[in-house]
């Protein structure tokens, strides 16, 4: 599938806020560039009016050994796209495709398996989110509860503060914030960390200070103004990672979890039939 091509642009975006002003200028070029050209340090430094040393520092801050390795990885991102659809439909599909491709590149299989394993060990899981993130948190709760996991989605400020005080060492606290700046969510994670809980943050902006109170930081795909719901739902990158995490969690004692899932679905359907029958009797 050529459309799902390897690209390091999501990785650059994840480290963007940790860069200096000069390094952000370099990042902006590589993020927006769509042309295969001479990416040698001599050529790019003269084109961007930066030193070759700045290119090296930029590459290292993005997690590469040096600029040469960065360029090698960057050149893999060029490939063909399907240009058959146009207009608003094209814009929506391209936005989803862009986020899906970025999610593909950001998804860390070892990390998500590790989190799924910790979820299986925890007595209870709390998921914190505000705004559109709270909707994704509730979706996460409904899905995992069907597998028998005791999970609570909390989005009201006072309840978030209350729940963060009852989190214990045998619990997990998951915070969802695309911007990484949702104060209530950050405070809940900090409090949960102080109380010994296993803390996980889902965000589109990775910052060094998160390591002080988060055992895991799951990077979400980002797009300009995504957290404001521009064009497509801002929940989409969250749900993609949730689906992957759900799959890994289901793999652990899969037969038991599948039985719980099937049983919960059966009970819900029987309850719907019962409510329908009771409604019909009431009309008579």
């Amino acid at each position: 599938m050529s459309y799902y091509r390897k690209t390091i642009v999501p990785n650059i975006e994840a480290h963007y806020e940790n860069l200096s002003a000069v390094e952000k200028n370099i990042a902006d070029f590589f993020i927006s560039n769509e042309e295969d050209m001479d990416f040698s340090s001599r050529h790019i430094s003269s084109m961007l009016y930066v030193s070759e040393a700045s290119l090296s520092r930029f590459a290292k801050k993005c997690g590469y050994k040096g600029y040469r390795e960065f360029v090698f990885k960057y050149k893999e991102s060029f490939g063909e796209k399907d240009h058959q659809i146009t207009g608003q439909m094209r814009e929506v599909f391209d936005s989803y495709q862009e986020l899906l491709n970025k999610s593909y590149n950001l998804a860390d299989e070892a990390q998500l398996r590790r989190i799924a394993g910790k979820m299986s060990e925890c007595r209870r899981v709390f998921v914190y989110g505000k705004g559109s993130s709270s909707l994704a948190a509730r979706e996460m709760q409904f899905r995992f509860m069907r597998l028998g996991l005791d999970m609570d989605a909390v989005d009201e400020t006072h309840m978030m503060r209350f729940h963060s005080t009852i989190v214990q060492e045998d619990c997990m606290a998951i915070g969802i914030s695309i911007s990484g700046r949702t104060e209530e969510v950050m405070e809940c994670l900090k409090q949960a960390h102080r109380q010994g809980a296993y803390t996980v943050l889902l965000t589109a902006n990775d910052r060094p200070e998160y390591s002080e109170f988060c055992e895991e930081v799951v990077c979400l795909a980002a797009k300009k103004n995504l957290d404001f719901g521009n064009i497509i739902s801002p929940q989409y990158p969250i749900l993609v990672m949730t689906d992957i995490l759900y799959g890994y969690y289901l793999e652990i004692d899969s037969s038991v979890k599948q039985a719980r899932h099937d049983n919960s679905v059966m009970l819900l359907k029987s309850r719907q039939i019962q409510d329908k029958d009771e409604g019909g009797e009431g009309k008579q």
Side-chain angles (χ1 to χ4, degrees), residues 264-282:
S264 64
V265 172
M266 182 179 66
L267 290 173
L268 287 172
K269 288 183 177 179
S270 63
R271 181 58 185 174
Q272 289 174 350
I273 295 173
Q274 182 180 346
D275 290 344
K276 185 176 181 180
D277 291 341
E278 290 176 354
E281 291 175 0

Side-chain angles (χ1 to χ4, degrees), residues 172-188:
M172 176 184 288
I174 301 176
I176 305 176
S177 173
I178 294 176
S179 67
R181 298 184 182 277
T182 310
E183 184 177 350
E184 297 91 337
V185 173
M186 297 298 109
E187 286 303 317
C188 283

Side-chain angles (χ1 to χ4, degrees), residues 4 13-14 27 66 117 123 154 162 164-165 178 180 229 239 252 257 269:
Y4 293 87
E13 293 175 334
R123 175 179 60 85
V154 191
F162 170 74
S164 66
T165 63
I178 294 176
L239 296 177
I252 304 171
K257 289 188 173 71
K269 288 183 177 179

